[in-house]
Amino acid sequence: SASWTVVGDAAQASWADLGESARARDEAFSGQPRQAFHMDTNYRNAREIFDYARDVILPLVPDADIPNAVRATDVEPVDRVVDGSGAGAVAAAAADAVEQLLREVDGSIAVIAARRWSQRLAELDGSGNGRVQVIDPLSTKGLEWDATVVVDPDGITAESPGGVRVLYVVLTRAAHRMHVLRPA
């Protein structure tokens, strides 16, 4: 026998068409018995991080099922507009954010960026004695880091089939600290 855990949170759907996503999920179950559970408590993210993500998703997905984040760090996410939109300025801002986070957390750090920045940010991958990983937005689903650096949230939304829902996933990957960098 086997079991699956399938998260059906529409706010985290990667598919562009939510109806198509639901039909594919139903087809995958092939009439097998299902049990549904509603999870209303978020233990992963610090409340400050999750509140930031909630404020991004609710205006665009007003019926999103938002759990209650119960853990607080008293550290707000850093949301920074990067002076200059060139790749060098964005890469320098990301490197600065990573350096700060390496001092603030003992564990893992992800740099999650829109595709157009990935080549320039690749040099950060493996830095911090292997604690830093550069990863694309769609690959973050189901993963968790102690801290994240989110580069170009508007670019992530624009390039992702699930749009702002993929950004919401990205914004909910950090457990303790998050920096969001917005190219000018």
Side-chain angles (χ1 to χ4, degrees):
S1 69
S3 66
W4 289 357
T5 299
V6 178
V7 179
D9 181 357
Q12 296 187 45
S14 301
W15 292 36
D17 182 335
L18 293 180
E20 182 182 6
S21 173
R23 288 188 297 279
R25 188 174 50 250
D26 289 343
E27 185 179 309
F29 282 116
S30 314
Q32 296 298 314
R34 301 183 221 184
Q35 289 182 311
F37 301 93
H38 180 261
M39 297 185 293
D40 61 2
T41 304
N42 173 351
Y43 297 102
R44 175 189 315 174
N45 310 108
R47 181 179 303 123
E48 297 83 2
I49 292 170
F50 195 70
D51 287 352
Y52 183 102
R54 178 205 60 216
D55 292 347
V56 167
I57 195 68
L58 280 180
L60 300 165
V61 183
D63 60 343
D65 185 12
I66 304 296
N68 180 36
V70 296
R71 203 172 44 77
T73 60
D74 295 324
V75 178
E76 293 295 325
V78 173
D79 191 330
R80 176 178 166 206
V81 174
V82 177
D83 294 329
S85 60
V90 171
D96 289 346
V98 165
E99 286 302 317
Q100 181 178 342
L101 292 169
L102 284 167
R103 290 188 301 272
E104 293 177 358
V105 300
D106 292 329
S108 59
I109 300 168
V111 178
I112 309 164
R115 263 191 307 272
R116 70 182 179 141
W117 307 109
S118 59
Q119 185 176 19
R120 189 61 192 247
L121 298 173
E123 66 189 37
L124 294 172
D125 197 50
S127 64
N129 292 321
R131 293 173 43 206
V132 179
Q133 177 182 13
V134 177
I135 188 167
D136 68 278
L138 286 174
S139 296
T140 66
K141 255 190 161 175
L143 301 178
E144 175 182 324
W145 291 270
D146 293 292
T148 58
V149 178
V150 178
V151 180
D152 193 2
D154 292 338
I156 291 170
T157 299
E159 75 186 21
S160 302
V164 73
R165 294 184 314 270
V166 172
L167 176 60
Y168 175 69
V169 169
V170 167
L171 294 173
T172 59
R173 300 302 94 190
H176 305 288
R177 301 281 193 280
M178 180 173 70
H179 285 227
V180 178
L181 304 177
R182 302 174 183 281

